[in-house]
Amino acid sequence: MTGVTQTGIEIDRTTEASPEAVFAALTEAESFAEWFGGADVVVPADRLDFAPAEGGRWRAQMLLPDNNTIDWQGGFVRVEAPSRFDFTLTDVPGEGAKEVLVTVAIYPADGGASLHMTQETPDFPHEQKAATLQGWQLFFDEVLRIAEAAR
């Protein structure tokens, strides 16, 4: 299922790329900088601290097309190559920031991989959930483009 749920959003996607290529696209810092935010956003390497390891933390700054920035932070909850990547995030970083959980499960599928992603959206109004879903769809377009190019 892809869509807005009672507790968040879900996305299901398939690709001809292997689970290993998808996992690498999700978790390697250079790839993360390319997909996080979609095609029109830049995450400069000097504004990214991203080395997935369970219990670790990450930070990033997005440069938007209108020259505004968004600061992000989060943690790595579960990092199991090539099948699982769970992390938290917030765009309101700082001490005591409320972070939401994002889970990505990657399964082998007919000559490629199948992905199932969820994100919690506590207290998000429906419009914000829909916008979050749309944003993640753009992110996953880039993840899959990167993974498929690595085949």
Side-chain angles (χ1 to χ4, degrees), residues 74-117:
F76 300 110
V77 178
R78 189 170 167 189
V79 182
E80 296 176 3
S83 61
R84 190 71 183 224
F85 182 50
D86 300 351
F87 61 103
T88 61
L89 59 77
T90 182
D91 62 355
V92 186
E95 196 67 33
K98 185 175 183 178
E99 298 176 0
V100 297
L101 179 64
V102 175
T103 67
V104 183
I106 307 163
Y107 307 99
D110 245 358
S114 176
L115 291 80
H116 179 75
M117 174 268 196

Side-chain angles (χ1 to χ4, degrees), residues 13-26 31 34 111-115 140-151:
R13 299 286 287 267
T14 59
T15 179
E16 293 179 1
S18 69
E20 292 80 8
V22 173
F23 186 84
L26 284 167
S31 296
E34 197 172 332
S114 176
L115 291 80
F140 275 106
D141 288 346
E142 293 301 303
V143 168
L144 298 184
R145 180 188 60 75
I146 294 164
E148 290 168 1
R151 289 189 309 135

Side-chain angles (χ1 to χ4, degrees), residues 44-129:
D46 66 341
R47 299 181 195 178
L48 176 64
D49 180 9
F50 190 84
E54 288 183 20
R57 302 286 301 159
W58 68 275
R59 290 184 170 276
Q61 185 177 68
M62 287 179 169
L63 302 179
L64 305 176
D66 64 4
N67 293 322
N68 284 312
T69 61
I70 302 175
D71 293 316
W72 294 87
Q73 76 177 27
F76 300 110
V77 178
R78 189 170 167 189
V79 182
E80 296 176 3
S83 61
R84 190 71 183 224
F85 182 50
D86 300 351
F87 61 103
T88 61
L89 59 77
T90 182
D91 62 355
V92 186
E95 196 67 33
K98 185 175 183 178
E99 298 176 0
V100 297
L101 179 64
V102 175
T103 67
V104 183
I106 307 163
Y107 307 99
D110 245 358
S114 176
L115 291 80
H116 179 75
M117 174 268 196
T118 64
Q119 179 186 322
E120 298 174 337
T121 56
D123 307 321
F124 285 29
H126 183 78
E127 297 77 24
Q128 188 177 5
K129 286 182 181 184

